[in-house]
Amino acid sequence: VHAQDERYELSDDVAGTARQLAETALESDLAYEIVESLTTEVGPRLAGTPQEARAREWGVETLRELGFENVRVEEFALDLWTRGETIYEDVAIVSPYPQPVYATSLGGAGSTPEAGLEAEIVFFDSYDDLLTFDDASDALEGKLVYVNDRMVASRTGEGYGWANRKRRSGWVEAENRGAVGVIVRSVGTSSHRFAHTGMMGFPDERMPEIPVVAVSAPDADQIERIHESGEPIVMSLNTNAGWRGEVVSGNVIGEIPGREAPEEIVVIGGHLDSWDLGTGALDDGAGVAITMAAAKLIGDLDQHPRRTIRVVLFGAEEVGLVGARAYAAAREEDGTLDNHVIGSESDFGAREIWRFDSNVGEHALPVMDAMARELAFLGILRGDNEGGGGPDMIPLQYAGVPMARLAQNGEDYFNYHHTPDDTLDKIDEDELAQNVAAWAMFTYMAAELPVDFRPQDDEGTSEDEAN
Amino acid sequence: VHAQDERYELSDDVAGTARQLAETALESDLAYEIVESLTTEVGPRLAGTPQEARAREWGVETLRELGFENVRVEEFALDLWTRGETIYEDVAIVSPYPQPVYATSLGGAGSTPEAGLEAEIVFFDSYDDLLTFDDASDALEGKLVYVNDRMVASRTGEGYGWANRKRRSGWVEAENRGAVGVIVRSVGTSSHRFAHTGMMGFPDERMPEIPVVAVSAPDADQIERIHESGEPIVMSLNTNAGWRGEVVSGNVIGEIPGREAPEEIVVIGGHLDSWDLGTGALDDGAGVAITMAAAKLIGDLDQHPRRTIRVVLFGAEEVGLVGARAYAAAREEDGTLDNHVIGSESDFGAREIWRFDSNVGEHALPVMDAMARELAFLGILRGDNEGGGGPDMIPLQYAGVPMARLAQNGEDYFNYHHTPDDTLDKIDEDELAQNVAAWAMFTYMAAELPVDFRPQDDEGTSEDEAN
Ligand SMILES: [Zn+2]
Ligand SMILES: [Zn+2]
Ligand SMILES: [Zn+2]
Ligand SMILES: [Zn+2]
């Protein structure tokens, strides 16, 4: 028989302790207190800013207070991008119907000339239309490119990647064709007057010279209506976004040392930085809080699990997984990469977890299935073995570290994500506690069970999709 | 027997025509087209600005296109107040936890010194606490007064008046005690990161010297959390709000002339101006559209009703019912005030109408009850006889004009009202059509039935509550 047909049984001890951890977590408000503290006492914490440095101080203090060991910061260099003097940007329809537009620069965007710019828009229904727009024509020369794709909301959040193409690469297509700026309908599913920010892509490390902004859905609807009336639309932008030079960022690390195999590491965490518009409650204060609280509850057990649980609060995730890459590079350098037995990040908000995915060697599937049977009482389904472990796990996954994912319900995540509306009040305390319960169970079992999650020599591994 | 015990029966003709108007209205998208046009082609239209002047042009054109007669503008003078150069204002927590705050000046507020100001806040849980704060103390000298009352949402919207006290009068209490500015938790019930604007009150025509801003609910929660931690809070403001001198505003008027008694007027309408943050879809593009569409459907009947239906699109409502007062004064002057047989304004959004209130002489109550029986098929209850006719009807009501009100469901009105989020997408087309149906029925019956709605000499009238 094949490995995955075997049934793996947890000992009563392990299953009982996992269940007890979950019961404790469901009664605890520790994660809520952590995310309340981070979002209130630090607030927005854009990568590379003094606010992110305050978040690292907060992380060190909080991990120590919670009894973590080996608490430390690993610094790394970062190119700083900021929006300008304020979080507001001056964008308007000039004609035919003058009115202000709620907009925000995308991460990495250039700025307008100091006096701003005014130009006619060329309206593209979709990013695909822009991609296939006649290269030889000079129809975009001196114009503002407008891209109107709508994101579809879903439990899995899978509409995000598709909708994000215009955010990541729209500027390249526009700049190559002589456009003076790009305006996109916000990625995200908010029906409110908030523009969704987020980092653009920089193929071959090329950076945009032109301004690139997103407009809120109601503003995008307005532009679409005017466009459909057949009137040419002139818009004005005045932005001061840009790169500000090299600064310091860092990852914050704390551990629950293992009882028998402290050199073996189960790595979990979230990212400490946030976008500047909200207070980063869902993205990713929640992930920081869930994983810290879960590890702390495990640390409170009568005895630590066999392996070390390492919580990493990654810096500079939003601006290109800079902290995650620095972490993996540092482990490559200190030779401890292979000590990472499995990894997972929480970075998809705070709604209930509904699915448990993995990416492990086939021989370990019965163990993951056994974990899933324990998680079932929290309303969690067993997913597949094709998953990633969250954005900051990508460099580790590429280096061969097995992954798990506790997938949250994402159906309203993109109503708040990367907007001013990502604030503490959007977190439901009970759903947050369910998250901690699931994370405590998974993390404990992964650290306690003497299982190698890596593919064996004769097994394959799935390397696709890691977002 | 007393008059209200009698039963008034509509003729089959009148009842049948009213029902036919409703059926037509329920199938029509005219009101949606009107509010779409106003909010798209004019957009925000703060009283006294060039945008409000464009709205008047739009009103004249649209009334003419729809076949209204005697279309005209009645201009009046207005003191202009504006926010400053942009719709954004620079407000922040400086210490203990520096972060930006989403805020907006209240109408009529003063500005900060050019470089802005920074001061410690004195936190008041409620406006009542501020009112009773020791006058003799100098504890507010040089401080920012913060007032934290929360509005309660309701179908009737009755929580608004109570919550508004801090907006209207908070500045007087603060300025009298030497405060350098006022910050209030937004009136309104939005849970999003929008601050609610609106005009302050000016007792004895006194105007504030100090800046007065509202902060969004999530920001107010943040301030409250920090306050509860016991830390003193320093905030910074940099606003440029102020009065800009005398300008022109105006009311736009159009009529469906009466068949038999054209000098008798049923006056309906909405207000044309809006706050500058949104596009004034719910407040009050909807009211403009509902009443214009209802009157237009009546104008399309084979014969006009007996009396004239006058649609008034009031200017400068938001800044103190300036257009409504000008309208009443002009009618006082031209001697046609007594020709107004009944009045009603739609100014509470676009959700379904659920109640029909009146304020008429007792002998006319059986007629209102008969109208209510016709309206019942739209899901509308008969209310009481204590109501007002909407804000712009207040001067007419004070001058003795009878009133009716088609009360909308207001349970989410204050989620959007006076914020950037008051945009077209918040209007449900079916609910809007139900409004038009009710308005067409009521307006037609009031114009057709040969009833004097005024109190007779021996009757009283209720003059209380008109908001
Ligand atoms: Zn994230
Ligand atoms: Zn993010
Ligand atoms: Zn209004
Ligand atoms: Zn209003």
Side-chain angles (χ1 to χ4, degrees), chain A residues 39 102 192 222 277 420-421, chain B residues 39 102 192-193 222 277 420-421:
Chain A
T39 58
Y102 289 79
H192 301 287
Q222 189 81 311
L277 302 176
D421 225 7
Chain B
T39 58
Y102 289 80
H192 300 288
R193 207 104 186 252
Q222 190 82 311
L277 302 177
D421 225 9

Side-chain angles (χ1 to χ4, degrees), chain A residues 266 307 340-343 359-365 367-368 371 400-403 442 445-447 449-456 459:
Chain A
V266 173
R307 290 165 170 154
H340 291 68
V341 298
I342 195 163
N359 201 319
V360 300
E362 284 195 10
H363 73 281
L365 284 175
V367 183
M368 304 314 277
M371 289 184 186
V401 177
M403 291 289 148
F442 158 70
M445 292 186 284
L449 298 173
V451 176
D452 184 355
F453 297 104
R454 284 171 201 273
Q456 305 302 298
E459 294 173 359

Side-chain angles (χ1 to χ4, degrees), chain B residues 16-137:
Chain B
T17 302
R19 182 62 171 253
Q20 185 51 55
L21 278 166
E23 303 285 2
T24 306
L26 291 173
E27 296 301 311
S28 164
D29 54 8
L30 177 58
Y32 192 82
E33 282 174 12
I34 294 170
V35 66
E36 177 175 354
S37 168
L38 175 59
T39 58
T40 305
E41 294 165 31
V42 180
R45 43 201 185 276
L46 183 65
T49 62
Q51 288 76 21
E52 197 202 28
R54 281 207 290 138
R56 286 194 295 282
E57 286 171 28
W58 171 93
V60 167
E61 277 169 32
T62 308
L63 286 164
R64 286 198 178 127
E65 277 170 21
L66 293 175
F68 285 80
E69 295 183 39
N70 308 321
V71 174
R72 61 199 184 272
V73 174
E74 292 185 349
E75 293 188 344
F76 51 85
L78 180 74
D79 283 329
L80 176 65
W81 176 91
T82 69
R83 206 170 290 291
E85 305 236 320
T86 78
I87 47 180
Y88 304 112
E89 276 153 336
D90 195 2
V91 177
I93 297 170
V94 174
S95 73
Y97 310 126
Q99 52 195 289
V101 163
Y102 289 80
T104 195
S105 282
L106 296 183
S111 64
T112 60
E114 210 180 312
L117 68 81
E118 240 182 67
E120 193 178 324
I121 69 167
V122 179
F123 188 100
F124 291 92
D125 263 328
S126 72
Y127 176 65
D128 288 324
D129 287 354
L130 173 60
L131 269 182
T132 56
F133 190 70
D134 180 7
D135 253 325
S137 119

Side-chain angles (χ1 to χ4, degrees), chain A residues 271 283-284 317-318 347 413:
Chain A
H271 63 83
D283 184 15
D284 185 28
E317 187 273 351
E318 294 291 5
D347 183 22
Y413 183 58

Side-chain angles (χ1 to χ4, degrees), chain A residues 442-466:
Chain A
F442 158 70
T443 306
Y444 165 73
M445 292 186 284
E448 184 61 35
L449 298 173
V451 176
D452 184 355
F453 297 104
R454 284 171 201 273
Q456 305 302 298
D457 282 349
D458 59 336
E459 294 173 359
T461 180
S462 3
E463 273 183 27
D464 52 17
E465 188 261 349

